Amino acid sequence: MTNPSFPPPALQSPPTHDWSTSYPMTPGSARLARVQVRRQLAVWRWGGDIDDAVLVVSELVANAARHGKAAGHHVWLRLALAEGGGLVVDVSDPVRGFPGFGRTGGGAALEEGGRGLLVVRQLTYELNWFPREAQGKTVRARLPGPVRG
């Protein structure tokens, strides 16, 4: 997928829960995000796959901290639960572009450290990115909620 020229559509209805925080642009931010996301989803009693959600957040925060580094800026993380129970993960950084986002295999995707987005694509039903109005970009991932039988 290539970069859309506008943000993806908003959630169809307001989220039932919404939480956000920021992290420094350091490798340790991914570990801290894993702990906080696991705790937040447990507090919300989210019925989706928490391990998948934690992995998606970890990969996106690690990518932002590594490739979006800019002096004086932070990585922003937002979690929102949609009315149907799905989880929306937004990770924002100060860099506007996202080279290689549409790459789905081969080349750099197979190099050490280049498989994170491939894993994220497998765990989510939607993954895209859009420029932020003021500065930078947001990567948005959507994960399914609880399986209803």
Side-chain angles (χ1 to χ4, degrees):
M1 173 177 204
T2 58
N3 173 29
S5 58
F6 53 88
L11 298 174
Q12 292 181 335
S13 58
T16 60
H17 292 81
D18 199 312
W19 174 84
S20 62
T21 191
S22 67
Y23 300 101
M25 294 279 192
T26 63
S29 292
R31 181 189 56 76
L32 181 56
R34 283 192 300 270
V35 170
Q36 290 181 325
V37 166
R38 184 173 301 281
R39 182 178 21 211
Q40 188 62 50
L41 294 177
V43 166
W44 287 346
R45 294 188 174 125
W46 184 57
D49 191 320
I50 291 178
D51 290 333
D52 284 357
V54 167
L55 180 56
V56 165
V57 167
S58 179
E59 288 293 338
L60 295 180
V61 169
N63 281 349
R66 181 175 183 189
H67 301 292
K69 195 172 263 192
H73 292 275
H74 289 83
V75 175
W76 283 94
L77 168 64
R78 175 181 176 255
L79 302 178
L81 292 186
E83 189 174 288
L87 178 66
V88 177
V89 175
D90 288 339
V91 176
S92 303
D93 68 55
V95 175
R96 282 192 72 78
F98 200 147
F101 178 78
R103 206 176 299 142
T104 59
L110 296 178
E111 293 173 6
E112 183 64 32
R115 294 178 288 262
L117 282 179
L118 293 174
V119 171
V120 170
R121 286 180 208 284
Q122 293 298 310
L123 298 175
T124 60
Y125 68 84
E126 182 181 326
L127 179 66
N128 53 36
W129 73 279
F130 52 93
R132 287 195 342 240
E133 191 172 314
Q135 173 181 345
K137 68 176 166 302
T138 296
V139 177
R140 175 169 289 167
R142 294 181 189 240
L143 290 92
V147 177
R148 304 199 195 284

